[in-house]
Amino acid sequence: MRNLFRLCPLLLAAALLFGAGPAFAGKRVALVLANSAYQHAPSLANPVNDGAVMAKTLKDAGFDVVDSRRDLTALDTRRVLRDFADSTRDADIAVVYYAGHGIEVEGSNYLIPVDAKLERDTDVYDEALSLDRVLVAVEPAKQLRLVILDACRDNPFGRTMKRTLASRGIGRGLAQVEPTSTNTLIAYSAKAGFTAQDGDGANSPFTIALSKHLTTPGLDVRRAFGFVRDDVLKSTGNKQEPFVYGSLGGEDVPLVPVKAAPAPVTAAAPAPPTNPQADMRRDYELALQVGNKPAWEAFLAQHPDGFYANLAKLQLDKIQAEQVHAAATEKTKQAEAERDRLAALGAQKDAQAKAAADAKAAEQAQLAAQKAKEQAQQQAAAAEQQRVNLAAAAPNAAPAGAASPAGTNVASLTPATAPADLSRSVQTELGRVGCFSGQADGNWNTSSQRSLSQFNRYAGTKLDVKMASTDALDTVKSKQSRVCPLVCEHGFKADGDKCTKIVCGDGYALNDDNECEKQRAAKPGKPATAKRDDGDERPARQRRQSGGAAIGAAGGIAAAAGRATGGGGQVFCNDLLCRPVKRGCHLEYHGGGGPHNDANVEVCN
């Protein structure tokens, strides 16, 4: 019986020796679409070449129908898809290969025909074709529906189209998909959110790898895409990683069946020795692409011990922790809803107190589950990163931990600072998008949490800021430009991506609002002799009155002196003014003094 990942060697040998029929030898149909000559965007060099290579590959593989089209308009593409859907009604395997421009808008993927203008973001709904329309065309196939998209190029339309709604997202590359139909696979030339390379030659690295592995007789289609991934990663220096979405059952599904071999006259030659580590690695990578609990359980049933078994157990722990966290979150919502309901109804205090306690306990359980989930995610990510590093350093060598006994914690195979490395990576990426200005030291402190919170605010995401996670790293990495606005300290201003010092001109000074403000002239100080005492705080009228009386009293003395001196040097004062006594006149003191009552009278001869 075949397992999830590959044919049992004995059954495969028996099939070859006795000419057993292939598992899937029914009708196979394919549609190849290639768009290069775009009318409102720069032409692409490779798609037409890639389409020709794939059409020849499928024809040589014995497909019953291979319809190859190039440079189609939107109307022609819809007609071709409609006609192809008719040929898939009695087919067992249906394949659609597309090379050209694609775009993601609001999480949905669209293929762009050559006559599309896409002047506005909403034009994509009228001028492009959704991926769902392609899936409808292959829907009737009975055993395998395969859509291959070499459309993850850097799209010029996304940079020029006008946005009718600021919140409408237009992604880079294509968005991740989850096929709703069974036995459906969707293969991207690059992982969701990333762009693919056209290569230096006449064909893209993705198409070259496809033509080499996809139609290998007897090779399961999932294993074939695993080989394609390895080739593309190697040829692009690990910059481009093809990805497959969807799942199949436990049976192998080759695009090309194994040809029946004539019975040998002599005993069959022994099969060449296999590399168990290479097989285990490919099976692990296949389970990693499927990514669900049954796939990992099937892998562990086939490979219960060793390095990859320990990695698989960590992946299972991560899935289990995520499920526990989801259940705890749902329980918390229910408990809080019950608490609020009882409070709104005015229930008895005991019932409300019990509901509040239940809600509090559920919240604590949710926080514990959240922490366990993040820890499991970090451990799985660190172990996976170590596996990738080992594979890149020695692709054909067995991992150092391959012979480790069952039950060995794979975390012991990773550096003790793996969480710090993850935190440092998230800090580095946050700094790249302008949300983190500190030192990327791996210490996930309050400053780092505040930086991720700023990213959530301006990117419209809801990442958990308490701990650095692989989800946060992938999300921040997907942003290609600044996300958070540049914020400068007092005395500096934003100048592009840098902060420059503010210099004020002569007579101006920097105020608290970071603006240059004109300085006020300082008031000259009063002489020390003009300083007033406490009596100077009285009203001016009162000072004049008291001053007049004092002057009047002094004037009496001055008048007496004036009579002796002929009035020279005397001063006459009242409550309005003071002036010198007229020549030939003198003052006589009559007593009294006060408002409108002069104490001195000027007497002239």
Side-chain angles (χ1 to χ4, degrees):
M1 180 178 179
R2 296 183 177 96
N3 59 61
L4 178 62
F5 299 101
R6 60 178 184 274
L7 288 171
C8 175
L10 292 177
L11 288 179
L12 180 58
L16 293 175
L17 289 174
F18 301 105
F24 299 126
K27 182 179 178 181
R28 296 170 295 161
V29 297
L31 173 63
V32 177
L33 302 174
N35 289 339
S36 286
Y38 282 89
Q39 300 171 13
H40 305 286
S43 297
L44 296 174
N46 283 352
V48 169
N49 299 333
D50 294 339
V53 169
M54 286 305 302
K56 183 178 185 302
T57 299
L58 295 172
K59 289 178 181 178
D60 294 344
F63 269 62
D64 300 282
V65 175
V66 179
D67 187 2
S68 180
R69 305 295 182 96
R70 56 181 290 179
D71 296 331
L72 295 182
T73 63
L75 180 59
D76 292 337
T77 306
R78 292 186 176 92
R79 290 173 176 171
V80 169
L81 288 173
R82 181 189 60 191
D83 295 339
F84 181 68
D86 293 336
S87 64
T88 62
R89 296 186 187 282
D90 57 347
D92 294 285
I93 295 176
V95 179
V96 173
Y97 170 87
Y98 172 80
H101 277 311
I103 192 171
E104 177 258 317
V105 177
E106 291 290 295
S108 298
N109 299 308
Y110 297 86
L111 311 185
I112 303 179
V114 295
D115 60 339
K117 293 183 180 180
L118 301 186
E119 296 176 344
R120 297 177 297 272
D121 50 9
T122 54
D123 291 345
V124 71
Y125 306 123
D126 303 318
E127 300 177 5
L129 289 95
S130 70
L131 177 58
D132 292 338
R133 178 64 185 89
V134 179
L135 293 174
V136 169
V138 299
E139 182 69 25
K142 302 178 183 65
Q143 294 169 343
L144 174 64
R145 309 170 187 94
L146 175 60
V147 177
I148 305 172
L149 300 179
D150 193 358
C152 303
R153 296 169 172 83
D154 191 12
N155 194 340
F157 294 98
R159 296 190 297 268
T160 59
M161 66 171 53
K162 298 177 181 178
R163 306 295 178 91
T164 60
L165 189 63
S167 60
R168 180 172 288 114
I170 299 177
R172 183 171 182 261
L174 298 179
Q176 180 177 339
V177 293
E178 293 295 339
T180 56
S181 300
T182 59
N183 298 328
T184 301
L185 296 180
I186 302 175
Y188 286 2
S189 58
K191 194 174 181 179
F194 293 84
T195 57
Q197 301 180 18
D198 266 347
D200 299 328
N203 299 106
S204 69
F206 182 61
T207 298
I208 293 174
L210 282 175
S211 63
K212 179 180 178 182
H213 299 292
L214 189 60
T215 56
T216 301
L219 181 64
D220 179 76
V221 65
R222 293 161 290 191
R223 294 285 300 277
F225 278 111
F227 290 124
V228 169
R229 170 191 175 274
D230 292 345
D231 284 5
V232 174
L233 280 172
K234 183 177 180 181
S235 63
T236 61
N238 291 329
K239 295 180 180 178
Q240 177 181 336
E241 180 184 8
F243 219 81
V244 179
Y245 300 92
S247 64
L248 301 179
E251 296 289 332
D252 281 359
V253 185
L255 283 187
V256 180
V258 178
K259 294 182 180 179
V265 177
T266 58
T274 60
N275 184 347
Q277 288 301 321
D279 291 341
M280 195 180 303
R281 175 177 63 83
R282 295 189 185 98
D283 290 351
Y284 177 87
E285 290 174 351
L286 175 59
L288 186 64
Q289 287 200 11
V290 176
N292 56 24
K293 187 176 181 180
W296 290 118
E297 290 174 344
F299 175 85
L300 288 172
Q302 182 67 25
H303 308 291
D305 301 320
F307 177 78
Y308 290 104
N310 293 328
L311 296 182
K313 291 172 184 176
L314 276 184
Q315 297 291 345
L316 268 177
D317 291 343
K318 182 187 76 169
I319 293 174
Q320 180 66 24
E322 291 172 345
Q323 292 175 347
V324 171
H325 175 255
T329 301
E330 182 61 29
K331 187 174 180 180
T332 300
K333 292 180 180 178
Q334 294 175 357
E336 291 176 346
E338 178 65 13
R339 178 197 62 193
D340 296 340
R341 186 185 69 84
L342 292 176
L345 293 176
Q348 295 181 357
K349 291 184 178 181
D350 292 343
Q352 292 192 39
K354 183 179 183 304
D358 292 342
K360 182 68 175 179
E363 183 181 2
Q364 295 296 331
Q366 180 190 2
L367 292 175
Q370 171 73 17
K371 186 174 181 180
K373 182 191 79 168
E374 292 172 348
Q375 184 176 6
Q377 288 176 336
Q378 290 180 357
Q379 290 180 350
E384 176 61 16
Q385 184 61 47
Q386 187 201 31
R387 181 190 70 82
V388 172
N389 294 339
L390 288 173
N396 297 321
S404 60
T408 301
N409 191 343
V410 78
S412 63
L413 302 176
T414 61
T417 57
D421 290 340
L422 180 60
S423 299
R424 188 179 296 108
S425 299
V426 177
Q427 288 172 335
T428 301
E429 289 300 318
L430 285 172
R432 181 182 59 81
V433 298
C435 300
F436 181 70
S437 58
Q439 181 70 25
D441 54 5
N443 181 20
W444 194 253
N445 50 23
T446 304
S447 176
S448 301
Q449 295 176 11
R450 186 165 54 248
S451 299
L452 187 55
S453 178
Q454 284 288 95
F455 177 86
N456 281 336
R457 174 185 175 186
Y458 290 102
T461 56
K462 296 182 179 179
L463 299 170
D464 189 355
V465 302
K466 297 183 183 67
M467 297 181 66
S469 63
T470 54
D471 290 340
L473 180 60
D474 292 340
T475 302
V476 180
K477 272 187 174 181
S478 67
K479 303 299 181 182
Q480 301 304 311
S481 58
R482 172 179 288 276
V483 174
C484 297
L486 182 62
V487 178
C488 301
E489 297 180 357
H490 184 265
F492 294 82
K493 64 179 179 180
D495 185 7
D497 289 337
K498 298 180 180 179
C499 291
T500 58
K501 187 175 180 61
I502 300 175
V503 179
C504 296
D506 293 339
Y508 287 81
L510 194 67
N511 61 16
D512 293 338
D513 295 329
N514 230 29
E515 298 175 346
C516 289
E517 185 179 65
K518 189 172 183 180
Q519 292 180 302
R520 296 179 180 178
K523 295 182 179 180
K526 293 183 179 180
T529 56
K531 183 175 181 180
R532 297 179 298 179
D533 58 12
D534 293 339
D536 289 334
E537 298 299 325
R538 295 173 295 171
R541 181 179 179 87
Q542 184 178 353
R543 290 200 304 271
R544 287 197 301 268
Q545 291 173 355
S546 61
I551 293 173
I557 301 173
R563 284 191 293 270
T565 60
Q570 290 184 325
V571 178
F572 172 77
C573 293
N574 58 19
D575 58 350
L576 296 178
L577 53 82
C578 290
R579 60 176 174 77
V581 174
K582 297 178 183 179
R583 188 175 181 82
C585 300
H586 65 274
L587 295 178
E588 290 184 0
Y589 178 63
H590 289 187
H596 309 295
N597 185 13
D598 298 332
N600 300 308
V601 177
E602 188 178 23
V603 178
C604 298
N605 297 330

